Amino acid sequence: MFNFCLQALLILILLCGCSSHRPWTNSGPKEPSKPYIVGSGPDRSIVAAVTLSGGGTRAAAFGLGVLATLKDTAIYWDGRHTTLLDEVSLISGVSGGSVLAAHYAAFGDLTLKNFERDFLNVDFESRIIGRASTPEGMYKLGSPWFGRTHLLAEELDRLYEGRRFGDAALRHGAPELLVTATDLSHGAPFEFSHDQLAAMCIDWREIPLSFAVAASAAVPLILSPVTLNNYTGQCHSSDKAEISTSSDFRTQLRSATAATYFDATRRPFIHLVDGGLSDNLGVRSLLDRFVASGSIADSFPDAPEGSIRRLILIVVNAERDASETIELDSRVPTTGQVLDTLVFGAGGRDTKVTLAILQQDVVRWTEELTLARGRPGSPFSADAQIHALVVSLRVVPDPERREALTRMPTSLSLSPGQVRELQAAARSILLSSPAFRRLVASFQE
């Protein structure tokens, strides 16, 4: 019996080593379809965006609490009853936050009912490990084109019921969805958006939600990169890239990064990993979009004159602290401690930089809005306002509770109690925020 099992194992190993299984990848080239148009149409007087940070199930649970609170915040606007969540026209996600963002884009209010059951209370880590240990999983993993992240994508495809970006866009009232990964070769954010994909002759509608989210959550070493084929130059929508002549460094950097995709002979394959490595808040690319457009008014070229009355940006930050304070120990830090500190120490510093950029941008946008609102040709009405707020675990007033929340692991598995605690914290933080109270009060003016 032992010899038979050994022989079977050897045969399985040989089969895995010879595997040629290929996961989903984009075929092409394709003529990209039209993009979403945010802030257009006669009824879009509110332009609201929510960005959901990385942080595994912790971030998804915290973000769900924010979305639920926005849904519970009823407002009366332009003669109609609505809620703040119903007015969200763009939702952006990174890593764990992207799991929730994609689910809400696809299913809307059903997310508030089913997401906790279908994702937050499911041990996705065990599912992936279990899938990897099956003969089918081992065979797939023996392929040089199939990695551990593709197992995650398969599980996520069940969560999203096979939906793609195009399916989500067809849902009535669906917000634009942005999912951010990181370009492994350049370390730059890679945005699953119409503009980014159209330049590569990829139709954004055909991208499975599971593929984009798995790419955004592909933590290096733990998970594997995923790959997109680059077909730049093989469709009518692919124009020659030009480096921006703007004196703004962020615009120059954005333009130079985009230009790297316009040589498909040198970069035929784009390998993607966790979006948190380049922008854990999922807001940096959005901010750079506005900067590159020239002014806040130029960012809404399709909006009718005087149509926009409220601009809202809600940034959900579920970042955690390092598990250990290594400077309290004289011993050489272990490999695990080094990785933990690099990810959550250096990553936390980058988040602070992004938040500082956000603060500066909001000041500039407010000044521009003051000058532009009510003027001929401006998309902003005379009473237009801008509201930007950050919902962060770091503002929990009780030190012990704050430490417990920010030390929850970045994983795909939390206890039901932790999930409930994170959602309750989100509601409490948002409702007690002075910026949020000002936002709600602005609809009563």
Side-chain angles (χ1 to χ4, degrees), residues 69-115:
T69 306
L70 294 178
K71 183 65 178 181
D72 290 340
T73 305
I75 58 174
Y76 185 74
W77 186 248
D78 284 347
R80 59 191 174 91
H81 293 279
T82 183
T83 73
L84 283 182
L85 183 61
D86 292 333
E87 297 305 310
V88 171
S89 50
L90 183 148
I91 189 164
S92 169
V94 171
S95 197
S98 72
V99 182
L100 173 61
H103 199 280
Y104 179 72
F107 300 105
D109 287 349
L110 286 176
T111 296
L112 306 179
K113 177 183 178 181
N114 298 331
F115 188 73

Side-chain angles (χ1 to χ4, degrees), residues 226-273:
V226 298
T227 304
L228 277 174
N229 296 325
N230 184 6
Y231 296 105
T232 301
Q234 301 179 48
C235 65
H236 292 99
S237 299
S238 183
D239 300 322
K240 183 178 179 180
E242 295 182 1
I243 302 297
S244 173
T245 58
S246 170
S247 60
D248 179 77
F249 172 75
R250 289 161 60 190
T251 301
Q252 290 178 354
L253 183 60
R254 176 181 172 86
S255 176
T257 300
T260 67
Y261 299 103
F262 277 78
D263 189 350
T265 58
R266 295 186 61 184
R267 302 198 69 197
F269 307 107
I270 308 302
H271 303 291
L272 304 173
V273 293

